[in-house]
Amino acid sequence: MTERTPLLNYRLLSSVNESEPRGAAASQAPEQLPDSPRRRSSPQQQPKKLSVFFGVVVPTLLSMFSVVLFLRIGFVVGHAGLYQSIVMFLVAYFIISMTVLSVCAISTNGALDAGGAYYMISRALGPEFGGSIGLMFFLANVCGSALYVLGLVEAIVSTFGIPEDPNVVPSAHQVLPSGYWWSLLYATGVALVCLLVCLVGAHIYAKATFIIFLVVIFVLIMIFISFFVVGAKTITLPSPSSSNPPNGTGPVLPTTANFTGFKLETLLGNLYAGYTSDYTTGKMMSFATVFAVMFNGCTGIMAGSNMSGDLKNPSYSIPRGTVTAVIFTFIIYNLLSLLVACSCDRVLLQRDYSFLRAINIWDPFVIIGVYSSTLSAAMSNLIGASRILYALARDDLFGKVLSLAKRTSHSGNPWVSVLMSWFLVQLVLFSGKLNTIASIVTIFFLLVYAAVDLACLALEWASAPNFRYTYRTDTHTHRHTICFFCCFFYTLTFYICLWGRLLKDHIKFWRPQILLMVSNPRSSVGLITFINDIKKSGLYVLGHVQLGDLSTLPSDPLQAQYDSWLSLVDHLNIKAFVNLTLADSVRHGVQHLLFISGLGGMRPNTLVLGFYDDCLPKDKLIESPLFSTESVEPFSPSGDVDQPPMYHFASLRGSSDRHDYGEFGDGKVLGPQEYVSVISDAMKMLKNVILARYFNDFDRAQVLSSPSPLAKGDVFVDVWPINLLRPDSCSYVDTCSLFLLQLACILNMVKAWRKATLRLFLCVEEGQSVRGSEAKLGQLLKDLRIKAQVYPVPWDQVVGLHWQRQGGFSKNQKFLSPDSTTDEMEARPMEEESEDDYVNSFPSNATRVSDDYLTAVNKLILDQASQPPAVRFLYLPRPPADTRRYATYLHQLDLLTQDLGPTLLIHGVTPVITTDL
């Protein structure tokens, strides 16, 4: 299985840019193939065709322009006054803006499918976390649907209902009976209409959305024009729900009010708050109750997100469409509030919530707008609630309780979920009045928005490498979520308690958990500080092997060394653990550390070794007063364990000794055979391996310093995601290549390295389409949300050296068996090599690739850098299966990386990156 993993990845990822999926693997769910870079649609899936405007802007505007716009704008200004109304809108839009930014961040973090906000959160943080949000979002949509139904009924009764006050003579068109039970009957009828549409013709509603939008916009324009065209007039006020006391006591309520037109006196009278009782419920209003009603005009921001399954490009459309709708509605609400405050008596605003109809050029305009917007919003919320309930049932979050909700019709409509949602809407309708449930709807939506923000905050705090959204500024997400987090501290506390259970081992939450083997810290300072940058808040362990046998020693020699290692960690200002072990060989010591380091799920998944070469080690701690250059024996021969609190690291040896993890105190105890064996052992244990070369002179502060700290382009990170020891294989999409890209992206995400520019080199041969290859690689980078500059590199001459070495054989011919020796190669003809070995392993390259070819590749790499990069990322092939070729393998790596400067040779064994949300 281990040998086949990269080949499987190659086959899956190689179809990224193909128009049609191939094979059974292509049709599997993303959860089954977490390393698949793109969610493939089934043949039965309808094509996504909605644009930003029709798919996001229109549904969002319709959801926000409903009850508050036509029926409650006067209620807000009449009770709160213009000043407090503006404050309310600022507070409300601040809250929803924070949520919109979080939704934008999550929606641009990968490929989206149908499901809207619940899908985004459940796939970003797991179904358990998303389930709590989904449940609240479901209840919010249920209550919201009931709210809009009651708003429509209120408009109907206000226009056609017989006044409850017997002293008021009804007009000719007021023929419908009024009262609580009658209103409930009308609401039930409207809810049944919504149910029938959702069960039979939801697609009809989707097609009619744009027409409804045009009607609402036209009515809105007529309302604005009416303020300037209609003259001053007296308006008869509707009768309150409860008549004046029969004994004549109590305040006498006015029966008329004035539309004055634009007057300064009217504006001054409406500037400040004047809270009184609500004439529909009889309850005293306050800032909180008015805000609860007003906030319902801001709760449609996720209508566009809920259309994610029908959008051409959800990650592009949702952020832009939602932000556009939010800005537009904010301007309209505030402008309409100003016009109302300048032209309407306060009594009119407080006692007639349908006053816009009375002051319009033609009364039916507003009636049509109210009916269209509220009915549309009611159906939209009912459809949204049913889809969320179906998604919750499909994820089996509530067991058998929602098992029936999984059932769908032949066309895929979740009709049981629709019925269950409608039933709950019907129960909410018993509340009777819009203002009664407005505060409940507000609470639910506030909880949903808080949970979305907290989800985004959790991803930011967790610093997940795969959480790299494209719609962002560098700091907006964590700033706004922290602000919102202050308002919902108890929610965060609850989720943090569940965090350890929710974040399961999944590719989306992968991060480097690094074990860096250090022989002597004196020569490894540069490497230690650099690896600290690419750990991405993951586990970081400094490992060291002391050779010896505890049975022959008077005491444990490692205990006295811990103080020095911990002081080193403090001195270098890094976040790392120290793990020392005693073993009879370096190979066994590294195995011990890979087995025992870490805790629970936090265990090393990546092993970092210094390169095995003859470079002279340099002491980077010699100037530090904390560390002496004197060598102290690791234990006292006399058995005395009372040593100074600061253990002095051993001094470096001469140039003939190996540096980094080539030296373990003695400097000659680790040979090339054992060094490559350590690499091979780590890969067998499914650990990623990194070999670091030329980091002796690496100075992080010097590399990152530039005249313009904020300017990009001064620092470069070069990535060569191709196995340069396999000139016959030019794949950029296997597991190892993607691991290189992931690590380079992680380095670029570190604050100090953000100004660095990633340069990705694309090796192309004659006959290949440079533009086509560059476009495919560019699309892959876009899907992976990685910003890098792609540079095509012609290397025909270099590859030609390889094939000349093969004695004229072409790259289409088969190669020798991996187990063939050099003599056998000369004595017998070519044999077939399996596809698995061909793609995944090094085997026969040790005899196929010549030194001339490797020298040419090395020169090719050097020639591409007009400005030397800070660090290079190269592909590390697997060691050969034949242990007799280990020395040749190491020799070839040495030629490949000769004089390249700080270089990481990287081999990844498991998928670590995904384009799916």
Side-chain angles (χ1 to χ4, degrees):
M1 180 63 70
T2 302
E3 294 295 329
R4 294 179 180 268
T5 300
L7 178 59
L8 175 61
N9 251 359
Y10 171 79
R11 288 173 175 168
L12 292 175
L13 298 174
S14 62
S15 61
V16 170
N17 296 289
E18 296 178 4
S19 59
E20 297 294 335
R22 296 180 303 168
S27 63
Q28 294 187 31
E31 289 77 4
Q32 295 170 297
L33 295 174
D35 52 332
S36 179
R38 176 171 295 180
R39 183 179 300 277
R40 296 166 175 81
S41 59
S42 60
Q44 294 81 10
Q45 184 177 355
Q46 295 182 354
K48 300 178 181 180
K49 58 183 178 179
L50 294 181
S51 62
V52 177
F53 182 76
F54 292 100
V56 182
V57 176
V58 170
T60 304
L61 286 178
L62 283 179
S63 296
M64 299 182 75
F65 280 164
S66 53
V67 173
V68 172
L69 179 67
F70 295 110
L71 297 178
R72 286 300 182 268
I73 196 71
F75 164 82
V76 174
V77 177
H79 287 281
L82 181 61
Y83 288 157
Q84 289 193 18
S85 297
I86 294 176
V87 171
M88 287 182 182
F89 281 115
L90 289 174
V91 172
Y93 273 82
F94 172 78
I95 294 174
I96 66 172
S97 296
M98 300 305 99
T99 306
V100 166
L101 292 177
S102 295
V103 170
C104 291
I106 297 176
S107 66
T108 57
N109 187 49
L112 277 177
D113 206 342
Y118 168 71
Y119 175 84
M120 289 188 289
I121 302 302
S122 63
R123 270 46 179 182
L125 290 177
E128 295 89 347
F129 197 108
S132 59
I133 299 176
L135 182 60
M136 289 187 292
F137 199 27
F138 166 71
L139 294 175
N141 277 272
V142 166
C143 294
S145 180
L147 175 79
Y148 297 129
V149 169
L150 291 176
L152 177 57
V153 171
E154 181 180 300
I156 293 174
V157 172
S158 176
T159 305
F160 302 104
I162 300 174
E164 295 185 42
D165 188 351
N167 298 322
V168 178
V169 179
S171 60
H173 59 270
Q174 291 180 315
V175 296
L176 296 178
S178 300
Y180 170 79
W181 293 106
W182 284 108
S183 296
L184 179 61
L185 179 62
Y186 304 148
T188 301
V190 173
L192 283 173
V193 172
C194 295
L195 172 64
L196 292 176
V197 172
C198 293
L199 287 176
V200 181
H203 60 284
I204 298 177
Y205 161 74
K207 294 180 179 179
T209 299
F210 181 62
I211 298 177
I212 296 174
F213 170 76
L214 292 178
V215 171
V216 172
I217 293 299
F218 175 77
V219 171
L220 184 61
I221 293 174
M222 290 296 100
I223 289 175
F224 277 102
I225 293 176
S226 298
F227 281 103
F228 296 92
V229 175
V230 175
K233 59 191 301 186
T234 300
I235 300 172
T236 302
L237 299 176
S239 58
S241 297
S242 56
S243 303
N244 293 332
N247 57 6
T249 61
V252 178
L253 300 177
T255 58
T256 61
N258 297 321
F259 170 74
T260 64
F262 293 109
K263 285 188 177 181
L264 179 60
E265 181 182 356
T266 304
L267 174 62
L268 295 176
N270 289 325
L271 288 179
Y272 300 97
Y275 295 105
T276 184
S277 60
D278 173 24
Y279 80 94
T280 63
T281 62
K283 295 181 179 180
M284 187 66 185
M285 294 291 99
S286 63
F287 183 94
T289 54
V290 173
F291 177 83
V293 174
M294 181 277 303
F295 191 78
N296 287 278
C298 310
T299 57
I301 59 173
M302 292 187 180
S305 302
N306 292 336
M307 300 291 291
S308 58
D310 301 310
L311 300 174
K312 289 182 181 177
N313 188 347
S315 297
Y316 175 87
S317 302
I318 290 175
R320 288 158 180 80
T322 305
V323 171
T324 300
V326 167
I327 295 175
F328 182 75
T329 56
F330 178 76
I331 295 173
I332 294 300
Y333 276 134
N334 282 277
L335 186 58
L336 190 58
S337 298
L338 178 62
L339 295 177
V340 165
C342 292
S343 59
C344 300
D345 281 345
R346 169 155 287 183
V347 175
L348 175 62
L349 301 179
Q350 293 177 340
R351 303 274 299 131
D352 187 359
Y353 299 156
S354 302
F355 74 98
L356 288 177
R357 185 187 72 243
I359 68 173
N360 203 269
I361 297 175
W362 188 49
D363 290 4
F365 278 153
V366 177
I367 296 175
I368 293 172
V370 171
Y371 290 0
S372 300
S373 62
T374 52
L375 186 61
S376 170
M379 287 190 292
S380 176
N381 276 262
L382 182 57
I383 292 174
S386 64
R387 271 40 176 190
I388 295 171
L389 183 62
Y390 172 67
L392 289 170
R394 193 174 52 183
D395 285 341
D396 289 324
L397 296 179
F398 298 94
K400 296 182 179 180
V401 177
L402 297 180
S403 58
L404 290 177
K406 298 180 184 179
R407 296 189 177 183
T408 60
S409 63
H410 293 292
S411 61
N413 186 24
W415 61 274
V416 177
S417 295
V418 172
L419 288 174
M420 295 173 68
S421 302
W422 166 81
F423 177 74
L424 292 178
V425 169
Q426 184 63 47
L427 293 180
V428 178
L429 291 177
F430 280 93
S431 61
K433 297 295 181 181
L434 186 152
N435 287 4
T436 303
I437 64 172
S439 57
I440 299 175
V441 176
T442 296
I443 290 173
F444 276 126
F445 274 106
L446 281 174
L447 288 174
V448 171
Y449 297 161
V452 172
D453 275 344
L454 292 172
C456 195
L457 174 63
L459 289 171
E460 278 284 307
W461 279 1
S463 193
N466 283 316
F467 183 58
R468 42 178 184 264
Y469 40 92
T470 57
Y471 186 87
R472 57 171 287 178
T473 60
D474 287 337
T475 57
H476 86 264
T477 300
H478 67 268
R479 285 184 178 177
H480 78 253
T481 46
I482 289 175
C483 293
F484 206 67
F485 149 78
C486 295
C487 302
F488 294 92
F489 177 81
Y490 68 93
T491 310
L492 177 63
T493 304
F494 173 73
Y495 287 130
I496 286 179
C497 293
L498 295 178
W499 187 251
R501 185 174 65 90
L502 301 184
L503 284 186
K504 298 179 179 179
D505 186 16
H506 193 279
I507 185 175
K508 292 178 294 187
F509 309 118
W510 180 91
R511 67 182 69 245
Q513 315 278 9
I514 297 176
L515 171 62
L516 170 61
M517 299 305 301
V518 180
S519 61
N520 193 323
R522 295 188 181 281
S523 61
S524 305
V525 172
L527 182 58
I528 293 173
T529 54
F530 178 79
I531 297 300
N532 185 66
D533 283 338
I534 66 172
K535 73 179 191 297
K536 190 58 177 174
S537 303
L539 177 68
Y540 186 22
V541 179
L542 300 181
H544 175 75
V545 177
Q546 177 79 41
L547 296 181
D549 185 356
L550 187 60
S551 63
T552 64
L553 300 176
S555 63
D556 183 3
L558 301 177
Q559 298 304 316
Q561 301 183 28
Y562 274 102
D563 286 341
S564 291
W565 283 88
L566 295 177
S567 297
L568 173 73
V569 170
D570 293 336
H571 172 66
L572 298 179
N573 193 26
I574 62 174
K575 296 179 180 179
F577 297 97
V578 174
N579 209 341
L580 312 180
T581 187
L582 191 67
D584 59 349
S585 69
V586 174
R587 182 180 182 182
H588 290 162
V590 176
Q591 290 178 4
H592 295 166
L593 293 178
L594 287 175
F595 278 125
I596 67 174
S597 297
L599 177 66
M602 293 187 65
R603 294 189 178 278
N605 56 33
T606 304
L607 174 66
V608 181
L609 303 172
F611 197 76
Y612 191 95
D613 58 18
D614 293 319
C615 292
L616 181 65
K618 297 181 180 179
D619 194 338
K620 295 297 182 179
L621 293 178
I622 193 170
E623 298 178 358
S624 173
L626 292 177
F627 303 98
S628 168
T629 59
E630 300 175 0
S631 176
V632 178
E633 293 296 329
F635 61 92
S636 173
S638 62
D640 184 10
V641 295
D642 295 331
Q643 299 184 21
M646 177 58 65
Y647 179 83
H648 305 290
F649 294 119
S651 59
L652 297 175
R653 303 297 196 259
S655 60
S656 62
D657 300 325
R658 304 291 185 175
H659 79 289
D660 284 338
Y661 227 77
E663 87 176 311
F664 289 87
D666 185 2
K668 297 181 180 180
V669 296
L670 181 64
Q673 194 78 9
E674 186 178 6
Y675 177 82
V676 180
S677 296
V678 171
I679 300 174
S680 180
D681 291 344
M683 294 182 185
K684 291 178 182 178
M685 298 169 68
L686 293 182
K687 307 296 183 184
N688 310 299
V689 177
I690 300 177
L691 305 184
R693 189 174 192 185
Y694 295 121
F695 277 86
N696 270 324
D697 295 325
F698 183 82
D699 188 335
R700 180 178 181 272
Q702 182 179 357
V703 168
L704 296 177
S705 62
S706 63
S708 54
L710 298 180
K712 272 183 92 80
D714 297 328
V715 181
F716 296 97
V717 176
D718 289 359
V719 183
W720 294 77
I722 184 175
N723 186 353
L724 295 171
L725 297 187
R726 296 300 302 246
D728 47 332
S729 175
C730 300
S731 173
Y732 285 88
V733 289
D734 63 5
T735 299
C736 189
S737 298
L738 294 178
F739 188 76
L740 260 73
L741 292 175
Q742 178 76 313
L743 284 188
C745 180
I746 289 174
L747 180 64
N748 201 210
M749 294 169 71
V750 177
K751 183 177 181 181
W753 289 87
R754 284 178 186 170
K755 66 177 180 179
T757 300
L758 296 185
R759 298 188 299 193
L760 187 60
F761 293 95
L762 173 65
C763 296
V764 293
E765 296 184 52
E766 183 180 358
Q768 290 184 334
S769 173
V770 177
R771 290 187 178 181
S773 300
E774 188 174 358
K776 288 182 179 180
L777 185 56
Q779 182 61 44
L780 177 62
L781 293 174
K782 182 179 179 181
D783 292 340
L784 297 175
R785 291 102 56 210
I786 296 177
K787 295 182 179 179
Q789 297 177 1
V790 179
Y791 294 88
V793 179
W795 69 328
D796 297 83
Q797 294 181 352
V798 176
V799 176
L801 288 174
H802 169 70
W803 297 118
Q804 290 175 9
R805 175 70 175 178
Q806 305 309 313
F809 289 103
S810 70
K811 61 182 177 180
N812 294 324
Q813 290 177 286
K814 300 299 181 180
F815 300 107
L816 286 176
S817 168
D819 297 326
S820 302
T821 63
T822 305
D823 295 336
E824 289 173 334
M825 291 180 64
E826 298 174 353
R828 66 186 186 186
M830 295 290 181
E831 296 179 0
E832 290 190 359
E833 182 176 322
S834 69
E835 186 179 8
D836 289 350
D837 288 338
Y838 176 80
V839 175
N840 296 321
S841 63
F842 177 83
S844 55
N845 276 350
T847 51
R848 282 210 314 270
V849 179
S850 66
D851 289 357
D852 291 339
Y853 165 78
L854 292 171
T855 302
V857 172
N858 176 264
K859 186 176 183 301
L860 178 71
I861 297 175
L862 287 172
D863 291 343
Q864 300 307 314
S866 56
Q867 181 176 343
V871 63
R872 287 182 172 91
F873 289 73
L874 300 184
Y875 190 117
L876 175 67
R878 283 180 174 271
D882 188 351
T883 59
R884 292 172 295 179
R885 298 177 183 171
Y886 280 2
T888 305
Y889 169 79
L890 195 55
H891 170 70
Q892 291 185 341
L893 296 181
D894 179 69
L895 289 179
L896 178 66
T897 58
Q898 191 72 38
D899 299 324
L900 290 185
T903 302
L904 296 181
L905 286 161
I906 302 171
H907 187 88
V909 296
T910 56
V912 296
I913 194 170
T914 178
T915 61
D916 288 331
L917 182 63

